[in-house]
Amino acid sequence: MSGTAPLAVVVKGWPRLSETFIAQELVALEEAGHRFEIWSLRHPTDTKRHPLHDRLRARVRYLPEYLHEEPARVWRARAAARALPGYATAWRIWRGDLRRDPTTNRIRRFGQACVLATELPPGTRAFYAHFLHTPSSVARYAAIMLGLPWAFSAHAKDIWTSPDWEIAEKLRAGTHGAAFGATCTAYGAARLRGLADTPERVDLIYHGLDLNRFPDPPERAPRATDAPLHLLSVGRLVEKKGFDRLISALARLPDRLDWRWTHIGGGELKRELTTQARALGIADRIEWRGACDQPEVIAAMRAADLFVLPSRIASDGDRDGLPNVLMEAASQRLPIVSTRVAAIPEFIEDGRHGLLTDGTPQALADAIVSLAADPGRTARMAEAALARLRAEFSMDAGIARLADRLQALVGEVVA
């Protein structure tokens, strides 16, 4: 794209298979006329890319992932940053943050901010960060150094594991807070607004789903009650996704039910969960596919009978927002079993668009058995979820709102 991009978008990593909602948004913003560059805090670790990533035309730049890996670049940036008009203020604010959060991650944020602020091309007028924790800190420090406005989009972990003091300061004008914050669930918006001095700084903007990226759903013939049941889950193997509870639930399914479960996604708990499945004697009914690109995920959804996402609140407070995979499953008329956690009930009304449980193994097992035994009811709920997705959770309305906010942001002059 020619010309200077007026917006710098700060992300944690690019590209990431598990963050299709970010790629979807950025592609849509480009198509709405926004010009920006992406600044990523980390290099990619996934070996695959979604086709969606290849549609993005923006330039992608990488900040030093760890400061010691590029010492000359970091020290050169630090020296240059000292001459910036807001450096002393940024240094003071960062030192206050460091006293409350004395971690190497906090130190790394300031070093990355110095590189960002000094390598930013002339003509950049604002920052927009995806995630309220680390990316927003880097964007905020750099924005203060340069006297530019910044904004953020908050999602799930960043809302629920960030300390109250940090969220409040990032939303407070007197502490060089964000011009606005967008978040993708009413559940998350309520927490952020409760910590903001001006709650109107927080916009509820659902990601929704770009239905143009998904094929028309198949016409599903009702499954015979004695036919094999193919269960599918998509999500990282981390505590908040609750797959340990689902494995326990699968072991409780009655012998009369001929089931198999396919899991898509990577994650740190793979060994622990496969060990659990072996101990319960069900490992031969489970297929672990690992990370897959979007076409592979869609094909798996079209081949499955039931989508199960057993989300839970993790021990550190981390939790889902409104997982996009639920909307993706609905787009393919795939019936859904999930939990009443976080913002999931904002899309799935229990008994109407799917079944929501308390996430215990027995409750998950009961929901699976219930839907397996009543194909007609299951099909009606899948149809209702698809209808709600099309009517209330398409991407267009949210993108229009966000595009307007970002346009105002890049036109804003900070005194």
Side-chain angles (χ1 to χ4, degrees):
M1 302 176 70
S2 60
T4 300
L7 184 66
V9 177
V10 182
V11 299
K12 195 169 184 180
W14 183 271
R16 284 187 160 185
L17 287 175
S18 63
E19 294 175 359
T20 53
F21 57 93
I22 295 178
Q24 172 183 276
E25 175 191 288
L26 296 182
V27 168
L29 287 172
E30 273 193 342
E31 292 175 350
H34 274 278
R35 292 180 297 116
F36 51 85
E37 289 189 343
I38 294 176
W39 291 79
S40 178
L41 308 188
R42 294 181 179 176
H43 291 272
T45 56
D46 296 317
T47 58
K48 297 182 178 182
R49 295 166 62 96
H50 294 309
L52 187 63
H53 291 126
D54 295 326
R55 289 172 54 189
L56 194 78
R57 295 174 290 157
R59 180 178 179 180
V60 182
R61 304 191 189 208
Y62 292 92
L63 295 168
E65 188 164 343
Y66 296 98
L67 303 185
H68 68 268
E69 293 178 344
E70 298 184 67
R73 184 184 180 194
V74 173
W75 285 110
R76 183 169 60 249
R78 174 76 186 281
R82 290 175 183 272
L84 295 175
Y87 178 82
T89 300
W91 171 264
R92 174 179 55 79
I93 289 174
W94 172 71
R95 291 289 297 179
D97 293 346
L98 184 64
R99 281 193 294 272
R100 291 171 290 189
D101 176 33
T103 62
T104 55
N105 184 37
R106 183 66 62 173
I107 295 170
R108 183 165 60 248
R109 295 181 200 186
F110 193 78
Q112 290 174 321
C114 288
V115 175
L116 176 59
T118 56
E119 294 186 3
L120 205 66
T124 304
R125 304 185 68 181
F127 295 91
Y128 172 56
H130 260 287
F131 291 108
L132 182 54
H133 50 5
T134 306
S136 284
S137 292
V138 173
R140 180 187 181 214
Y141 298 144
I144 295 169
M145 292 179 198
L146 293 166
L148 296 177
W150 71 282
F152 67 82
S153 183
H155 304 292
K157 179 177 182 179
D158 50 329
I159 297 174
W160 299 102
T161 63
S162 295
D164 288 0
W165 65 263
E166 185 166 11
I167 294 175
E169 290 187 8
K170 285 177 175 175
L171 284 166
R172 189 179 304 135
T175 53
H176 296 269
F180 74 89
T183 191
C184 51
T185 67
Y187 180 71
R191 169 166 164 78
L192 297 181
R193 288 169 179 163
L195 293 169
D197 58 343
T198 49
E200 59 270 20
R201 281 176 179 266
V202 179
D203 263 2
L204 170 59
I205 301 178
Y206 284 110
H207 294 306
L209 203 65
D210 179 5
L211 293 173
N212 293 322
R213 292 193 295 113
F214 293 83
D216 289 336
E219 294 292 340
R220 294 178 180 268
R223 172 187 157 274
T225 56
D226 59 350
L229 180 69
H230 183 186
L231 306 165
L232 174 69
S233 298
V234 180
R236 291 179 299 125
L237 297 171
V238 294
E239 184 186 359
K240 72 177 179 180
K241 296 298 183 180
F243 291 125
D244 57 330
R245 294 183 176 181
L246 178 55
I247 291 172
S248 294
L250 296 176
R252 296 170 183 239
L253 295 178
D255 293 340
R256 68 178 183 277
L257 191 61
D258 181 9
W259 63 269
R260 60 189 176 94
W261 177 50
T262 297
H263 175 271
I264 291 176
E268 61 201 40
L269 297 181
K270 173 70 178 295
R271 178 176 297 180
E272 180 179 327
L273 294 172
T274 54
T275 298
Q276 178 188 2
R278 284 196 299 271
L280 292 172
I282 59 173
D284 60 343
R285 294 188 175 205
I286 298 175
E287 179 186 7
W288 305 94
R289 290 195 185 173
C292 293
D293 60 26
Q294 194 73 56
E296 292 170 320
V297 172
I298 293 172
M301 287 179 170
R302 293 167 76 88
D305 299 308
L306 187 62
F307 189 83
V308 187
L309 187 68
S311 299
R312 64 189 295 188
I313 298 176
S315 55
D316 64 354
D318 188 13
R319 67 201 74 179
D320 279 327
L322 173 53
N324 265 35
V325 291
L326 291 177
M327 290 183 280
E328 292 172 9
S331 80
Q332 300 306 301
R333 281 198 181 93
L334 183 57
I336 294 167
V337 169
S338 191
T339 58
R340 292 183 287 271
V341 167
I344 292 172
E346 293 178 39
F347 177 56
I348 301 294
E349 181 183 334
D350 182 32
R352 183 176 180 186
H353 309 105
L355 291 186
L356 299 184
T357 76
D358 62 9
T360 60
Q362 190 59 56
L364 289 166
D366 289 345
I368 293 169
V369 170
S370 173
L371 291 185
D374 193 344
R377 179 185 182 217
T378 301
R380 288 191 296 273
M381 286 193 290
E383 199 66 42
L386 174 60
R388 187 172 199 203
L389 172 66
R390 289 171 169 169
E392 302 177 45
F393 285 85
S394 67
M395 175 191 69
D396 296 343
I399 288 297
R401 173 64 177 163
L402 182 60
D404 287 345
R405 293 303 304 259
L406 291 175
Q407 186 58 51
L409 184 72
V410 297
E412 183 179 346
V413 177
V414 176

